[in-house]
Amino acid sequence: MGNLSIFPPRGSAFAGQVDLLYTFLLVVSAIMMVLIFGCIFIFAVKYRRRPGAPPPPQHHGSMLLEAVWSTIPFLVMLVMFVWGAKLYFDSATPPANTLDLYVTGKQWMWKVEYPGGQREINEIHVPTGTPVKVTLASEDVIHSFFIPAFRVKHDVVPGHYEIAWFQATKPGRYHLFCAEYCGADHSKMGGWVNVMSPADYEVWLSGGERGGSMVDQGAKLFSQYGCVTCHVLDAKGRCPSLRNMFGHPVQLDDGRTVMADEAYVRESILDPNAKIVKGYERNVMPVFQGQISEEGLLQLIVFVKSLSQPPEQPVPTKGPPVTAKGSPK
Amino acid sequence: MNITFEQPKIKESPNYLNIRYGWRSWLLTTDHKRIALLYLFSITAFFMIGGAFAVGMRLNLTSPNGLLFSPETYNKLFTMHGIIMIFFFLIPSIPAVLGNFLIPLMIGARDLAFPRINLLSWYLYIIGGIVAVAAVASGGVDTGWTFYAPFSTTYSNTHVIMTAVAVFVAGFSSILTGLNFIVTIHKMRAPGMTWFRLPLFVWSHYATSIIQVLGTPVVAITIVLLGLERLFHAGIFDPKLGGDPILFQHLFWFYSHPAVYIMILPGMGVISELVTCFSHKTVFGYGFVAFSSVAIAVLSFLVWGHHLFVSGQSMYAGLIFSLLSFMVAVPSAIKVFNWTATMYRGSISYDTPMLYAFGFIGLFTIGGLTGLFLATVAIDVHVTDTYFVVAHFHYTMVGGMVMAYLGGIHFWFPKITGRMYPEGWARFAALVVFVGFNLTFFPQFILGYLGMPRRYATYAPEFQSLNVLSSAGASILGVGYLIPMIYLAWAWNRGPRAPANPWGAKGLEWEKSPSPPPTFNFDEMPVVTENAYNYGAAPGATEAHG
């Protein structure tokens, strides 16, 4: 209240870029409105019907005018398209070396988990200056992860992993909304994003209780569900070894090759027979559809990821602090 | 040629209204004009119902915590508002009332090609409407008019199936109306009424009909799949059953984006008629205005993906849909420019229909320009699913279509009823509607960019002042809609008798048929010898060129 700006707070550099593009469109719209409404107003006054006046001259059209008023707006629109597409492309491709968060939406709350094992509900803490990649999962219906201050929004779709990312620049407390209608308390499915200076963030990270990092929890689930008996890590088992599997292409028995990404691992846990690795048998692994929570799945995926050790992302094997430190942009 | 129609003092001459009385003569009629009136009264009833839901919503939103209703109730209000207004008011509004009444009159036919199918389509509409009202009466539905899965298929505990049946049945009404128009326009034109002599109202209905016939079956299939999923857990949309919720969105918007053009193209057709008549000018760029309708109809099928920019659709698909969405703006812009050019050096009168036409052009231009914001992907990411979108589509559909509908109702009121409406009241109401509309919906653009999501029963306190402003505007808008209902109902019985052509308009319905027209429209088969809007050749007029 009392704030008469037409812009929400800008918590990231990207927000400023979107606002600039928005301002460009506002200016173009204003020009168009002045032109059209101005013409109509002038014509309506100047050529108002006068009793006894001769009937007006008739104009059937002008190819030149049609060409001009089709082409010029289209060219202006192309500028909007390219500019908007460029920003969208940036917003859809996170940089390397991100701080990774895992957010699960369910009716009607946001559950947040950090690689170090910290968990929160409806609160997110991030440092300034580090790109943050959020992996989004849903336990039930479609939600949408919306942080107006970052001009970031992405639907959270059950059965999919979606990615949103941002890099906060200004410490503050910003709204987190659910933007996709999700049932009774949709409007209350909100929370706060707390942007802190890196030093404050370190302090925040080290406080509070936790039950081990996501990798540790994933490892625990990995043995708890008995995965470890068949997916022997460093020898040939009944199921493929998961060592160095994530992020690499996988040969399937039907001749296809797929990339082992989050979606592949998820599908292989929930519906193992959907894709069988070449040289392995069908129906060996039980179907886990409905058996593991979305958060458990994310922990397992982080664990499987950790077995691959991609060079650019050292995997913390024990506790926090995590990637935030030592991976500045 | 102007037919001046002297009204006998004692007995009205026979027309479609006084030829027969009694409920059978209405409920079993095959006269396109009587069916148009059946639609007129039924869609007015649904407009009142849908409007009542809007009143409830705007009242609730005056307080950040929700003034009156629980979130569950609020969710049902916006859902039923959307479903009633879209499927039972906007889609049938201009086509089923004015299109039904006017297309045969404008092309010089005695009736539509399939008069019984025309009656059937009204009955389907009414059956759909009754089922929808029954769904409301038995507790309502809370999925949003978009029925997104898996919420609608698995999680909602409300009357999803009953509402879906209502939409499914009403869809067939829309398909049959479209089919009837296409055949009529192809086969029933009077001698001399070539394609390029057709009034632009007919062209825009032709384009609309193509969308109705090609698009509506897709939403019917989508609704069937939704029903299979909800009742039998078919596993089409719910990921827990092996389905994909994004598939629902593709199917739904493949119909529902073209459907927004069902909800605006007929309005554009009305505006083309109004601007020429009240400027006494032939339309500027007839061919461009006519073909822009067809271009919009074709392009409308290629832009559905712009509803999925943040849904997890491929980024590259998003870019293509963005570009295509900009392209559909071009034919819309062409129309606005041509209407403006039509007024140039015209003889412009400020009768009520023209006031609505001014209002339409203003509001539709704002609606169209804000469409560019939504086609720009990076901006859409921020404003999609916020009040910006709500404001945008109300500017096009309510600011556009409803203004055109009211303008058209006033313009053809003398033809439909044989009476004139009170001009002073009508101008006043048009002004109230315009002011109320802008006060209601303009603040919502600002709210949306500030980040207030749509479909929120409660909201953050900083959004309150703009919401209160919007609700205040809505109360003015509501009054603006009530005034015409009152004076038009009065004028229907008590208004002064209208001559055949009170506006000095061109067109067969004005020049060759009395007000109101006889059952078979024309006393003798009209023969067309001139282009549409030949205002240069009006009686006493001298032609400047062409």
Side-chain angles (χ1 to χ4, degrees), chain B residues 420-467:
Chain B
M420 295 305 288
Y421 59 83
E423 186 66 34
W425 277 104
R427 287 184 188 176
F428 173 68
L431 193 70
V432 173
V433 166
F434 185 79
V435 171
F437 179 87
N438 281 297
L439 206 53
T440 308
F441 292 105
F442 199 83
Q444 297 185 2
F445 283 123
I446 301 168
L447 271 177
Y449 199 80
L450 288 175
M452 179 169 163
R454 65 192 286 201
R455 298 175 168 177
Y456 261 31
T458 59
Y459 55 85
E462 66 258 36
F463 299 134
Q464 187 175 13
S465 33
L466 286 165
N467 269 296

Side-chain angles (χ1 to χ4, degrees), chain A residues 40-41 44-45 48, chain B residues 270-271 273-279 343 348-364 399-400 402-408 410-411 421-435 438 487 503:
Chain A
I40 290 177
F41 184 77
V45 172
R48 67 186 177 278
Chain B
V270 169
I271 298 306
E273 301 296 319
L274 301 185
V275 168
T276 52
C277 172
F278 293 97
S279 303
M343 293 176 204
I348 298 171
S349 77
Y350 304 146
D351 294 304
T352 306
M354 190 59 169
L355 297 186
Y356 279 111
F358 287 139
F360 174 99
I361 297 174
L363 302 181
F364 177 75
V402 177
M403 293 296 259
Y405 175 70
L406 288 173
H410 283 84
F411 182 51
Y421 59 83
E423 186 66 34
W425 277 104
R427 287 184 188 176
F428 173 68
L431 193 70
V432 173
V433 166
F434 185 79
V435 171
N438 281 297
Y487 68 71
W503 313 115

Side-chain angles (χ1 to χ4, degrees), chain A residues 69-82, chain B residues 257 261 268 288 291-304 306 309 318-335 337 364 368 371-377:
Chain A
W69 65 43
S70 310
T71 313
I72 291 178
F74 187 65
L75 293 178
V76 177
M77 286 183 220
L78 279 185
V79 175
M80 297 172 184
F81 165 69
V82 172
Chain B
H257 196 80
Y261 294 98
M268 294 168 156
F288 284 90
F291 275 107
S292 63
S293 292
V294 181
I296 288 172
V298 172
L299 285 170
S300 74
F301 281 104
L302 305 175
V303 298
W304 80 89
H306 68 212
F309 285 155
L319 296 180
I320 291 168
F321 281 118
S322 166
L323 185 60
L324 287 164
S325 305
F326 280 113
M327 287 172 66
V328 80
V330 174
S332 303
I334 285 177
K335 283 184 190 282
F337 294 140
F364 177 75
L372 301 180
F373 290 70
L374 298 171
T376 307
V377 199

Side-chain angles (χ1 to χ4, degrees), chain B residues 17-270:
Chain B
L17 287 172
N18 66 10
I19 188 92
R20 265 189 299 277
Y21 296 92
W23 62 270
R24 278 169 161 274
S25 75
W26 284 94
L27 294 183
L28 297 176
T29 182
T30 53
D31 181 350
H32 66 102
K33 297 180 290 301
R34 286 192 164 209
I35 294 171
L37 292 188
L38 293 177
Y39 270 113
L40 172 68
F41 296 122
S42 29
I43 73 163
T44 305
F46 281 105
F47 181 78
M48 304 281 277
I49 298 171
F53 291 132
V55 168
M57 286 157 68
R58 282 313 332 163
L59 273 176
N60 205 52
L61 289 172
T62 53
S63 160
N65 299 318
L67 185 66
L68 297 174
F69 305 112
S70 67
E72 286 87 347
T73 309
Y74 179 85
N75 296 341
K76 289 176 181 171
L77 288 178
F78 74 69
T79 300
M80 297 310 301
H81 171 72
I83 289 170
I84 296 281
M85 285 302 201
I86 288 170
F87 295 108
F88 297 98
F89 175 70
L90 282 167
I91 287 180
S93 62
I94 293 183
V97 177
L98 295 173
N100 232 331
F101 194 96
L102 292 165
I103 287 175
L105 278 162
M106 284 182 164
I107 66 172
R110 285 157 58 112
D111 205 314
L112 287 174
F114 306 115
R116 289 193 185 88
I117 288 182
N118 197 19
L119 184 65
L120 172 65
S121 87
W122 181 73
Y123 274 102
L124 288 173
Y125 167 83
I126 285 297
I127 292 168
I130 289 172
V131 176
V133 170
V136 175
S138 56
V141 64
D142 71 344
T143 60
W145 81 278
T146 46
F147 293 110
Y148 270 15
F151 181 72
S152 61
T153 54
T154 312
Y155 291 86
S156 173
N157 301 319
T158 55
H159 297 278
V160 178
I161 292 292
M162 211 197 291
T163 317
V165 167
V167 173
F168 182 83
V169 174
F172 281 93
S173 159
S174 182
I175 294 172
L176 293 179
T177 302
L179 186 76
N180 220 339
F181 287 175
I182 290 175
V183 176
T184 305
I185 295 167
H186 269 273
K187 305 302 289 183
M188 311 269 291
R189 283 171 285 128
M193 179 57 90
T194 61
W195 281 91
F196 291 99
R197 285 177 175 170
L198 285 174
L200 290 166
F201 180 90
V202 179
W203 270 104
S204 73
H205 275 78
Y206 187 75
T208 308
S209 302
I210 293 172
I211 301 175
Q212 287 178 306
V213 170
L214 295 182
T216 316
V218 179
V219 82
I221 292 163
T222 313
I223 290 170
V224 170
L225 294 177
L226 181 105
L228 289 177
E229 180 94 1
R230 190 172 166 91
L231 295 174
F232 306 111
H233 312 291
I236 303 159
F237 304 126
D238 188 344
K240 294 206 169 112
L241 304 167
D244 189 345
I246 306 294
L247 175 63
F248 179 86
Q249 298 179 22
H250 280 290
L251 288 169
F252 180 81
W253 289 112
F254 186 82
Y255 163 76
S256 295
H257 196 80
V260 308
Y261 294 98
I262 296 177
M263 293 180 256
I264 192 66
L265 276 168
M268 294 168 156
V270 169

Side-chain angles (χ1 to χ4, degrees), chain A residues 288-310:
Chain A
F288 283 94
Q289 180 76 57
Q291 308 294 310
I292 306 181
S293 72
E294 288 294 334
E295 287 159 302
L297 279 169
L298 286 168
Q299 289 162 351
L300 278 169
I301 288 169
V302 171
F303 169 70
V304 170
K305 256 186 191 175
S306 77
L307 299 173
S308 287
Q309 308 250 15

